[in-house]
Amino acid sequence: MQLVEPRPSRPIPIRITPLIDVVFILLVFFMLTTRLLPVDYLELGNDTQDRSSVTGDPLPELQVSANGLINWQDTRYSLSDLLPALSAAGIREANLATTPDSTLADFARTLSALDNAGVTAHWKRSATPDS
């Protein structure tokens, strides 16, 4: 014998607005509390199968300046002069850095020319004044 008559089953509506508010608050919390570390060297290619774990001589650093000239070993080279100099020195891999006032076009032009000449370039992120 039932004392209370069962209620007819009806679907309970799920209010989505409070759920979105909670997700947004969690997102903001994790964005503010996460610390992202800067990356010094970022490999532009993901070719790692033919690399060894043995450390050798440091890679030469090429620095692209604002006028499109490239600094290497305390000497400024134009792009057309740099490629034969790298080839004569037997350099097949280098770190590529930029000055704060260099343009993306100069960087991309240098990177493409190095790639076409068979030199593997690794981008070195320059330190920014506000970091």
Side-chain angles (χ1 to χ4, degrees):
M1 176 168 138
Q2 288 185 329
L3 297 175
V4 180
E5 185 122 351
R7 290 186 187 180
S9 65
R10 60 182 173 152
I12 300 173
I14 298 175
R15 293 188 312 253
I16 198 79
T17 305
L19 293 175
I20 293 173
D21 291 343
V22 169
V23 169
F24 179 70
I25 290 170
L26 287 173
L27 176 69
V28 170
F29 172 77
F30 286 117
M31 285 173 55
L32 294 176
T33 58
T34 302
R35 181 180 170 131
L36 300 175
L37 299 176
V39 178
D40 283 342
Y41 289 99
L42 177 67
E43 281 200 40
L44 297 175
N46 201 11
D47 267 347
T48 56
Q49 65 267 17
D50 57 348
R51 294 183 185 252
S52 67
S53 61
V54 178
T55 58
D57 294 331
L59 295 176
E61 184 169 316
L62 309 173
Q63 188 175 37
V64 180
S65 58
N67 51 6
L69 295 177
I70 298 108
N71 298 327
W72 176 50
Q73 296 177 338
D74 298 327
T75 307
R76 291 186 150 211
Y77 293 93
S78 67
L79 193 54
S80 59
D81 296 335
L82 176 71
L83 297 176
L86 289 175
S87 179
I91 294 176
R92 308 309 293 150
E93 192 170 8
N95 290 325
L96 186 61
T98 56
T99 58
D101 54 349
S102 61
T103 63
L104 179 60
D106 291 331
F107 172 76
R109 188 177 308 111
T110 305
L111 183 63
S112 295
L114 289 172
D115 188 43
N116 290 339
V119 177
T120 304
H122 305 281
W123 174 49
K124 179 184 177 192
R125 180 175 292 186
S126 302
T128 58
D130 59 341
S131 61

